[in-house]
Structures are given as C-alpha cells and as structure tokens.
C-alpha cells in the first residue's frame, strides 16, 4: 500500500470513529431529553411556574370539579405502612382531617411539621382523626423523608399511600397540599388549600366553634 493510500485509509478510519461518536452522543442526548420529559405517576419536576404565590404545587391532570363544603365525602382505599388496606369510611362517625401531600412537593414538606404537631393533640382535644394520603411511588420515599427531616413517626398522624393518586383525583385536588375537614356524618365541612398552620390559635378556636 502506498503512503498516500495509507494516509487516506487512516483518515477514513478516524472520520468513521468521529461520526460514530457523534451519533452515539446525539442518541444519548435524545434519550436523556425524553426521559426527563416523561415521569411516571404524579411525581412532578418542580419548576417556578408550578409553585405559585400561595405556596402550592399544581397537579398537571387536575380539573376544578372537586368536593366543597356540604359535599358528601367520597370513600376510598389506601395502604398503611405495613401493607394493610385502610378505608376512609372506617372513620365515619368521627371528625376527619384528610390531607393530600407528597414528598416531592416542597409546600407539603413545609407544612408537615405543623400537621404532625396537631396530630398529637387532635384526637384528645378536638376529637379529630388526622390522615395524610401521599401520592408518592413507594413507601421508601416517605420513610426517607421522615428520617431525613427527623419527623416524629409516633405523633398519631396516620400516613397512607395511594400510588395511583386516584383518591386525590376523586376529591378534585388541584394543588398540593390540600386538606378536607369531614364531619361525623361524612360531609365535607371545609376545604383548605395550600400550607396551613395547624397549630395556630385561630384554627383551634375555629374548630371548637364549628365541630359540634
């Protein structure tokens, strides 16, 4: 093989390797972009336009047809940590504070300490059962959050998991967190949107005046 032929062959090989590298890089970039656009369930990529001025995270699939004060509460089933299924109607006959949240929702994480503190006194002082239904993908995410934040796991708060988020859809949850107060007759008394201070004196006074 002549020197010219050898140089041409060497050049062709390098060009081939370079083209292959560029194709692989382009394919990787496309796959990465597609994976970043598709996320299973309702785990959101939190961006500035999803967290609004009220400190809530919007559901991408929500519609404004949720339950309001006076509506009949809707029964549903979610799972407890041990795998036991819990039905909302099990608590019929007592007041229920039903909170919808998720670990990927910053406002929910901000609100949780207050909800945990209220759960310690809710049953004894107000006769209220407090439930927090998560839309996370698995229990590991919830457990990790509790450990990382050093949240009290014995506060009396009943944390439940609904990976399908069907319960939140049924209640027409538009933004996380949203909370529903349900009376003994299984009617919605009040809907709370966004982060609440569950330990505020005003809220406790309101409970005493309205939960009779």
């Amino acid at each position: 093989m002549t020197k010219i032929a050898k140089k041409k062959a060497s050049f062709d090989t390098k060009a081939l390797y370079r083209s292959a590298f560029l194709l692989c890089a382009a394919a990787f970039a496309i796959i990465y972009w597609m994976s970043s656009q598709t996320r299973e369930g309702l785990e959101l990529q939190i961006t500035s336009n999803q967290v609004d001025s009220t400190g809530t995270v919007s559901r991408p699939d929500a519609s404004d047809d949720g339950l309001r004060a006076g509506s009949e509460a809707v029964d549903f089933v979610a799972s407890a940590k041990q795998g036991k299924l819990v039905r909302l109607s099990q608590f019929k006959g007592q007041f229920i504070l039903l909170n919808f949240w998720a670990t990927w929702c910053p406002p929910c994480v901000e609100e949780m300490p207050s909800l945990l503190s209220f759960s310690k006194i809710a049953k004894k002082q107000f006769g209220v059962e407090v439930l927090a239904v998560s839309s996370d993908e698995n229990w590991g995410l919830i457990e990790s959050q509790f450990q990382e934040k050093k949240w009290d796991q014995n506060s009396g708060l009943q944390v439940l998991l609904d990976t399908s988020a069907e319960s939140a859809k049924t209640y027409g949850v538009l933004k996380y967190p949203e909370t529903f107060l349900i009376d003994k007759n299984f009617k919605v008394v009040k809907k709370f949107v966004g982060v609440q201070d569950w330990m505020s004196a005003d809220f406790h006074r309101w409970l005493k005046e309205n939960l009779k």
Side-chain angles (χ1 to χ4, degrees), residues 53-189:
S53 59
T54 63
T56 58
V57 177
S58 300
R59 282 171 45 88
D61 60 346
S63 60
D64 192 12
D65 57 355
L67 302 187
R68 292 172 172 79
S71 301
E72 182 81 16
V74 179
D75 197 16
F76 64 85
V77 175
S79 63
K81 185 177 179 180
Q82 300 77 11
K84 178 182 177 182
L85 295 180
V86 176
R87 187 175 290 277
L88 182 65
S89 57
Q90 291 177 210
F91 305 97
K92 191 173 183 178
Q94 55 189 306
F95 291 104
I96 305 166
L97 190 67
L98 176 62
N99 175 267
F100 290 100
W101 75 294
T103 60
W104 42 257
C105 161
C108 301
V109 175
E110 177 188 343
E111 179 186 52
M112 186 55 70
S114 174
L115 191 64
L116 288 166
S117 295
F118 178 65
S119 298
K120 293 180 180 180
I121 63 172
K123 188 76 172 177
K124 186 175 181 179
Q125 293 190 23
F126 305 102
V128 176
E129 193 73 45
V130 187
L131 310 178
V133 181
S134 169
S135 297
D136 282 291
E137 292 183 346
N138 55 64
W139 273 107
L141 296 170
I142 299 172
E143 291 172 352
S144 295
Q145 187 75 277
F146 266 76
Q147 292 172 5
E148 179 186 338
K149 300 294 184 181
K150 297 181 180 180
W151 289 339
D152 186 358
Q153 299 189 42
N154 299 302
S155 66
L157 175 67
Q158 293 205 44
V159 180
L160 303 175
L161 177 63
D162 177 11
T163 58
S164 69
E166 284 301 322
S167 55
K169 293 177 186 177
T170 298
Y171 275 72
V173 173
L174 291 170
K175 299 179 179 181
Y176 287 101
E178 284 193 8
T179 308
F180 297 80
L181 182 62
I182 300 169
D183 69 14
K184 295 180 179 180
N185 297 314
F186 220 52
K187 298 277 190 181
V188 175
V189 176

Side-chain angles (χ1 to χ4, degrees), residues 15-31:
L16 181 62
Y17 283 148
R18 188 180 298 110
S19 298
F21 175 78
L22 291 174
L23 285 172
C24 289
F28 178 79
I30 292 172
I31 292 172

Side-chain angles (χ1 to χ4, degrees), residues 42-66:
L42 288 174
E43 185 178 77
L44 302 179
Q45 297 180 31
I46 304 303
T47 59
S48 59
N49 65 335
Q50 288 173 318
V51 180
D52 65 18
S53 59
T54 63
T56 58
V57 177
S58 300
R59 282 171 45 88
D61 60 346
S63 60
D64 192 12
D65 57 355

